Amino acid sequence: MKSAQINKYGSSEVIEINQNTPEPTISPGKVVVTIKAAGVNPVDWKIREGGMQQLIPLQFPSTLGMDFSGDIKQVGEGVSPSDFKPGDEVYGQAGVISGGSGAFAEIALASVKSIANKPKLDYPEAAGLPTVGVATWQALKENIELSKGQKILIHGGAGGIGSMAIQLAKYLGAYVATTVSANDKQFVQELGADVVIDYRTQTFEDLLQNYDAVFDTVGGDTYRRSFKVLKKGGVIVSMLEQPNSELMNQYGVKAIFQFTQADRERLTKVAQWVDENNIRLNIEKKFSLDETGDALDYQRDVHPRGKVVLAM
């Protein structure tokens, strides 16, 4: 089978398309999946470049990729037929960190703890959903406990996570402000954003006050400035920054760093929400498996509107 692998860390030149990768062998609690599409996330190029090696140490050669959608080919011991069986359409994660063999491949091994039944999306859309859907669900439903009438600022509203977060926040009945570049204004308004701020020409902390929550997908100076937007007792959840106790005390707010965990329960809830509310995932660009290097560079350099996926 074919897979996109690396034998060392580096830029896109280190990616090798291995035409003769051995098919993964089944083991207890796992499934072998025929991959139909794989989602590309910022973490994928960070892993390739070695930026995550202390958190996610790889054994070379290593097949890249986490998010996928596809069909179950084989189930291992201990997997109940009432849970998963051959032919089931599933989505989730098959990354090495989650006990899989890597999603950027024609066939992959995945843990049953990291997959769920695929929502009623096409394969590319479903492949783009696991990380962004679960990150959004974990932040807004579990960490922030966002409720009707509350006000939330979502940074990076046109990105994969941000665009899902706007839709979930509106579903929960919140008032939503978001930061984007000017050419993404209409896109996020169509998703339901109430206030759209051009981060290049406007200063969000001068325009927004007394917000209940901030969901930060940008980090750095944007994270630090976001504390000014919150009311006392508010909460900021960041995908990138550890809690800053000095700012927490200064503004009387709660700060949470979120490590997203795409487990079966969350994936199932996300799929149900997507199906029941006709949520769409915007796919900005599709690449082939042979173009994995280009796909990772595009994700890193272009800041796509929505998602980038590999179609097998």
Side-chain angles (χ1 to χ4, degrees):
M1 69 166 195
K2 188 191 295 187
S3 71
Q5 296 185 322
I6 59 172
N7 281 287
K8 60 181 179 180
Y9 298 114
S11 56
S12 57
E13 301 88 65
V14 303
I15 294 177
E16 299 174 14
I17 306 302
N18 186 344
Q19 305 281 348
N20 299 302
T21 312
E23 284 195 22
T25 51
I26 194 68
S27 57
K30 306 284 178 79
V31 295
V32 172
V33 181
T34 302
I35 304 286
K36 298 288 189 178
V40 179
N41 295 293
V43 70
D44 294 315
W45 62 259
K46 292 174 183 177
I47 289 171
R48 178 198 70 187
E49 293 183 356
M52 307 287 288
Q53 58 185 295
Q54 292 194 324
L55 185 66
I56 309 171
L58 301 181
Q59 290 185 319
F60 299 121
S62 184
T63 301
L64 297 171
M66 294 170 62
D67 290 359
F68 80 91
S69 65
D71 301 337
I72 291 180
K73 182 179 180 184
Q74 190 180 2
V75 299
E77 284 181 34
V79 180
S80 169
S82 62
D83 291 333
F84 299 107
K85 59 188 183 302
D88 283 354
E89 298 180 358
V90 293
Y91 86 124
Q93 293 189 338
V96 174
I97 190 176
S98 56
S101 61
F104 294 172
E106 292 174 327
I107 298 170
L109 185 73
S111 169
V112 292
K113 296 177 182 177
S114 302
I115 65 171
N117 291 315
K118 182 176 78 68
K120 298 183 187 78
L121 301 173
D122 62 23
Y123 285 104
E125 278 188 292
L129 185 60
T131 292
V132 300
V134 170
T136 297
W137 188 271
Q138 206 173 325
L140 272 57
K141 287 282 287 181
E142 298 177 23
N143 287 327
I144 294 172
E145 297 180 345
L146 192 67
S147 58
K148 188 175 181 179
Q150 289 190 316
K151 296 162 75 175
I152 184 171
L153 167 60
I154 296 167
H155 286 303
I161 292 174
S163 58
M164 292 299 292
I166 291 171
Q167 294 179 81
L168 181 57
K170 292 308 295 181
Y171 166 75
L172 296 171
Y175 182 84
V176 179
T178 190
T179 54
V180 295
S181 58
N183 60 345
D184 288 322
K185 182 175 181 179
Q186 184 179 347
F187 174 63
V188 295
Q189 284 176 327
E190 289 171 358
L191 294 175
D194 299 290
V195 177
V196 182
I197 294 168
D198 179 353
Y199 71 86
R200 288 195 177 100
T201 61
Q202 297 176 287
T203 310
F204 66 83
E205 68 268 33
D206 292 341
L207 300 171
L208 309 174
Q209 286 88 34
N210 293 314
Y211 268 60
D212 298 281
V214 174
F215 185 25
D216 167 43
T217 69
V218 176
D221 187 52
T222 297
Y223 171 75
R224 291 184 286 275
R225 289 161 50 205
S226 295
F227 282 79
K228 299 176 184 177
V229 169
L230 291 165
K231 67 183 185 184
K232 275 203 166 21
V235 59
I236 178 168
V237 172
S238 179
M239 299 287 296
L240 298 163
E241 300 288 344
Q242 294 292 335
N244 185 313
S245 56
E246 185 181 333
L247 290 171
M248 288 168 67
N249 293 332
Q250 181 182 345
Y251 291 99
V253 301
K254 183 179 179 183
I256 297 169
F257 166 72
Q258 177 174 299
F259 179 73
T260 301
Q261 293 176 292
D263 58 35
R264 185 178 166 194
E265 183 181 3
R266 291 184 178 124
L267 287 163
T268 299
K269 287 178 177 175
V270 167
Q272 288 170 345
W273 167 59
V274 166
D275 284 345
E276 289 169 7
N277 298 280
N278 199 28
I279 302 298
R280 309 309 294 173
L281 190 77
N282 188 64
I283 303 295
E284 174 163 305
K285 196 168 174 87
K286 294 178 186 175
F287 292 85
S288 69
L289 183 58
D290 290 337
E291 298 170 315
T292 298
D294 295 334
L296 292 177
D297 288 346
Y298 190 89
Q299 173 70 56
R300 182 191 62 191
D301 300 334
V302 176
H303 303 296
R305 183 183 291 178
K307 292 291 297 184
V308 172
V309 298
L310 302 177
M312 302 302 166

